[in-house]
Amino acid sequence: PRSWVEWRLIVLESFAGVPGFVAAMFRHFRSLRCLTRDHGWIHTLLEEAENERMHLLTCMKVFKAGPITRMLVISAQVIMTPFVGALYIVKPGAAHRFVGYLEETACLTYANIIHQVETPGTPLHEAWSDLPAPNIAKTYWKLSDEAKFVDVLKCMFADECNHRDVNHTFATMSSDDPNPFVYKHQEDALRAWRLEADGATTDLGCEKTLGTKPR
């Protein structure tokens, strides 16, 4: 049912926004306590947490959360925060591996939802295939004015795939290893600046969904 999908997205994103912030906090305090550099990890972890929060805010522009859902979100934070914190203190690599598997679940969820939205005759196709993308999503992902909600879902799917790969990579590294994703952040920032300067939009998902050519 559509209501179940809405509930799953809200709970999933509120849940997924916790680990990155908790990990960044512990690394921040460690850097201050030890008077040493963090080697770029904090930025990536905070970016992950902020990105998950934007997923949640985007979903909240499309559908509402009832009292039960709000209680589950609060409960998830109460349980997730000390769990991730304790795990990160004892074994940071295990925490990142756990988050990597959590993101794999999110990837499967989004892949299935996108498939349902693009498959004629399904309840999600009838409800969301022509649903316009909310303005907050158009601004954040630099989508075109004609973008649909399914294009937003594809952007969120791509984000989750990136978080999955980042956390599985961090799980194999020592805490003092340099962050290999620093240059990727710089490249993404440069690409975003160019899109802004040229007045262009991202073409992620739009070509197939909207029948337009990528810019």
Side-chain angles (χ1 to χ4, degrees):
R2 188 184 69 182
S3 59
W4 183 88
V5 176
E6 296 174 354
W7 174 86
R8 182 175 177 83
L9 288 178
I10 293 174
V11 174
L12 174 66
E13 296 301 346
S14 64
F15 196 83
V18 173
F21 194 88
V22 172
M25 178 187 69
F26 275 100
R27 292 193 65 91
H28 175 75
F29 286 146
R30 177 178 179 268
S31 179
L32 297 178
R33 183 174 64 253
C34 298
L35 307 178
T36 57
R37 292 182 55 192
D38 176 70
H39 301 291
W41 288 50
I42 293 174
H43 178 82
T44 298
L45 294 169
L46 286 178
E47 187 276 335
E48 176 185 316
E50 172 68 7
N51 181 250
E52 298 288 8
R53 189 176 69 89
M54 288 302 299
H55 289 186
L56 178 62
L57 294 178
T58 298
C59 289
M60 297 309 300
K61 290 295 183 180
V62 180
F63 32 80
K64 303 300 180 182
I68 296 178
T69 302
R70 292 180 182 275
M71 289 182 60
L72 286 172
V73 168
I74 295 174
S75 300
Q77 282 194 9
V78 171
I79 296 173
M80 186 71 168
T81 302
F83 170 74
V84 174
L87 184 59
Y88 210 84
I89 291 175
V90 176
K91 197 168 184 61
H96 286 295
R97 186 67 72 190
F98 167 74
V99 177
Y101 289 132
L102 178 66
E103 298 293 355
E104 287 185 19
T105 301
C107 291
L108 293 174
T109 296
Y110 277 105
N112 182 56
I113 292 174
I114 293 170
H115 175 71
Q116 294 293 320
V117 174
E118 294 188 327
T119 302
T122 63
L124 286 184
H125 177 79
E126 296 178 2
W128 291 354
S129 61
D130 293 323
L131 188 66
N135 290 330
I136 188 175
K138 294 177 184 178
T139 301
Y140 183 71
W141 283 285
K142 299 189 182 301
L143 299 173
S144 66
D145 292 336
E146 298 80 17
K148 303 296 184 182
F149 184 56
V150 66
D151 297 307
V152 177
L153 292 173
K154 291 177 181 179
C155 291
M156 295 164 72
F157 178 34
D159 290 342
E160 301 296 356
C161 292
N162 180 64
H163 299 329
R164 173 200 61 198
D165 297 341
V166 167
N167 278 281
H168 279 314
T169 300
F170 282 168
T172 64
M173 298 171 58
S174 170
S175 296
D176 294 324
D177 290 340
N179 179 5
F181 300 101
V182 170
Y183 292 111
K184 181 178 182 299
H185 290 310
Q186 296 174 343
E187 293 173 356
D188 289 343
L190 180 60
R191 188 178 300 112
W193 291 332
R194 287 174 176 170
L195 286 173
E196 186 73 24
D198 296 339
T201 57
T202 180
D203 61 359
L204 180 60
C206 293
E207 181 179 7
K208 179 177 180 180
T209 305
L210 304 176
T212 59
K213 295 182 178 180
R215 299 174 64 178

